[in-house]
Amino acid sequence: MNATVQMTTNLPAKPLNGVEKVAALLLSLGKTNSAKLLQHFDQEEIRLITVTAAQLGSVPSAEIDKLADEFIKQFSDGANLYGSAGEVEKMLEGVLPEEQLADIMSDVLGNSNRSIWDRLATVSETVFANYLLKEHPQTAALILTKIKPSAAAKVLGQINPQLRNQLVRRMLSIKAVVPEIMREIEKTMHEDFMLNLSGTLEADSYARMADILNKMDRDHMEDALENLNDVRPKTAELLKGLLFTFDDIVNLNARTRMAIFDQIPTDRIVMALKGTDATFREVILSSLTSRARRIAEHELAGGEPAAQRDVLEARSAITNLALEMASRGEVELNPKQDEGAFFN
């Protein structure tokens, strides 16, 4: 495909910014060559280039010559380039899947057939739930009424029962929202999920990364998170919300702790409790059956030393079991929340 050109003359030179230069070059290269280049861009970059190209309008041949000199030193003379939505769509046909192309072009043409709320249905419910926990309950309830019912149900399933019930009540009483406020919320959601998450890791990748961090040594995990927080604080915050460590067990309710420790051999519990303080130890011991507690207290009173590696392996085994039980829906690992923060 050759880009459509306008044989106009004496057009004033139009300064192009970085994205406009990319768009102009892709249009001038034709479908075959541009397709090879587009394969190296991600969807958000393609979306940005597409929108820019569709609004490009006339580009004088002199400007194309400058681009040629600047980038590849190989351009033909004499024709002016014209960027339009139609030309962009032709360029992308066959390069992207039909659904992805339709999604991008709908944004270009201003009649998006997939709103931000439809796209949010693809976000991991764990990531989404942790995001909503940081919002005011009324805002969280409004967001839940906008996404697909199936997605909202999954997200609510990740939230502690007391807050979940409050959100359900709020969702039932949601009033009409001022369009300006709604647009601001949609913009924020798009930036937080479609740009920030897609620009670094896919939403599901956050869950996978959290799983990897959960299985790392505590010192290594904290070092990785501290480093990430320096360069990508929002990413680090989202990951922290997905992490679950041995120290977090004391934040679980008694019934959840009992369900977890009921499946763990007493000798492993004793090993994991080596080196813990009295308060932490008492919380764990209170989750055991009377017989298991007596055995554990007796073993711990003996004070026999243990290798640090054995202690860490025992703690890791308990944490992994808790995560597996949570993945099967047998327990909830959401830490206890400050209820006052949610009942404003």
Side-chain angles (χ1 to χ4, degrees):
M1 179 203 75
N2 292 321
T4 299
V5 296
Q6 284 188 340
M7 302 302 294
T8 54
T9 58
N10 300 320
L11 286 173
K14 175 187 176 184
L16 301 178
N17 62 32
V19 180
E20 289 172 338
K21 290 179 180 179
V22 174
L25 283 171
L26 287 172
L27 284 169
S28 65
L29 287 174
K31 181 173 182 177
T32 301
N33 292 322
S34 62
K36 295 177 182 178
L37 292 175
L38 283 167
Q39 293 174 358
H40 297 282
F41 293 96
D42 62 31
Q43 182 168 347
E44 288 304 321
E45 290 169 335
I46 293 174
R47 187 184 300 279
L48 179 60
I49 293 168
T50 302
V51 172
T52 302
Q55 300 172 350
L56 197 59
S58 296
V59 180
S61 60
E63 190 69 20
I64 298 175
D65 289 343
K66 287 174 60 178
L67 289 176
D69 292 337
E70 182 179 353
F71 290 104
I72 61 175
K73 307 296 183 182
Q74 296 176 3
F75 262 92
S76 299
D77 295 328
N80 297 318
L81 179 68
Y82 185 79
S84 67
E87 288 303 316
V88 176
E89 186 169 14
K90 290 178 184 178
M91 181 180 71
L92 295 178
E93 283 178 350
V95 179
L96 302 176
E98 290 185 6
E99 183 178 349
Q100 185 178 356
L101 175 58
D103 185 23
I104 291 175
M105 291 309 301
S106 65
D107 280 356
V108 174
L109 298 172
N111 58 345
S112 179
N113 55 12
R114 286 188 69 211
S115 71
I116 178 61
W117 307 112
D118 290 329
R119 296 171 192 168
L120 285 172
T122 64
V123 174
S124 162
E125 57 266 24
T126 307
V127 172
F128 209 149
N130 280 284
Y131 178 88
L132 293 183
L133 289 176
K134 300 176 179 66
E135 297 293 327
H136 187 282
Q138 190 67 14
T139 303
L142 173 62
I143 292 171
L144 286 169
T145 62
K146 293 296 182 179
I147 64 176
K148 291 182 178 179
S150 57
K154 291 179 181 179
V155 173
L156 284 168
Q158 299 293 315
I159 296 174
N160 69 76
Q162 193 165 11
L163 176 58
R164 180 170 64 236
N165 292 337
Q166 185 200 168
L167 289 176
V168 169
R169 293 194 300 270
R170 287 178 179 267
M171 290 168 69
L172 288 169
S173 59
I174 289 290
K175 307 294 184 185
V177 180
V178 177
E180 289 76 11
I181 295 177
M182 199 68 248
R183 281 195 294 271
E184 188 62 31
I185 292 174
E186 290 174 350
K187 177 183 176 182
T188 300
M189 299 298 290
H190 184 272
E191 291 174 349
D192 288 348
F193 285 99
M194 298 302 104
L195 295 183
N196 291 334
L197 293 186
S198 298
T200 51
L201 297 170
E202 293 291 339
D204 287 344
S205 294
Y206 274 71
R208 288 194 296 271
M209 192 66 233
D211 191 37
I212 292 172
L213 290 171
N214 272 321
K215 291 177 170 56
M216 293 171 64
D217 290 340
R218 179 72 185 221
D219 290 342
H220 295 168
M221 179 188 71
E222 291 179 349
D223 181 64
L225 283 174
E226 183 178 350
N227 180 267
L228 184 62
N229 188 64
D230 290 338
V231 293
R232 291 178 178 171
K234 181 161 287 192
T235 299
E237 183 181 359
L238 285 169
L239 279 174
K240 287 177 183 178
L242 297 174
L243 294 178
F244 180 80
T245 67
F246 183 72
D247 292 341
D248 294 324
I249 289 177
V250 295
N251 295 324
L252 302 176
N253 61 52
R255 183 169 57 182
T256 299
R257 290 198 305 270
M258 291 176 65
I260 293 171
F261 285 106
D262 189 50
Q263 301 187 40
I264 301 172
T266 305
D267 59 342
R268 180 167 290 171
I269 297 174
V270 171
M271 183 62 69
L273 289 177
K274 296 278 187 178
T276 57
D277 60 48
T279 302
F280 184 96
R281 186 176 297 184
E282 176 57 31
V283 173
I284 302 304
L285 292 174
S286 68
S287 306
L288 309 182
T289 63
S290 299
R291 180 174 178 277
R293 175 166 183 156
R294 286 197 302 271
I295 295 173
E297 288 177 331
H298 176 74
E299 293 293 330
L300 289 168
E304 294 185 9
Q308 183 67 10
R309 190 173 84 174
D310 293 337
V311 173
L312 293 177
E313 286 181 354
R315 293 178 181 178
S316 178
I318 294 172
T319 302
N320 289 340
L321 174 63
L323 290 167
E324 290 172 7
M325 293 176 68
S327 69
R328 296 193 296 265
E330 298 172 6
V331 297
E332 291 186 5
L333 300 184
N334 291 324
K336 285 188 270 188
Q337 305 290 340
D338 179 4
E339 299 298 339
F342 297 115
F343 288 86
N344 296 329

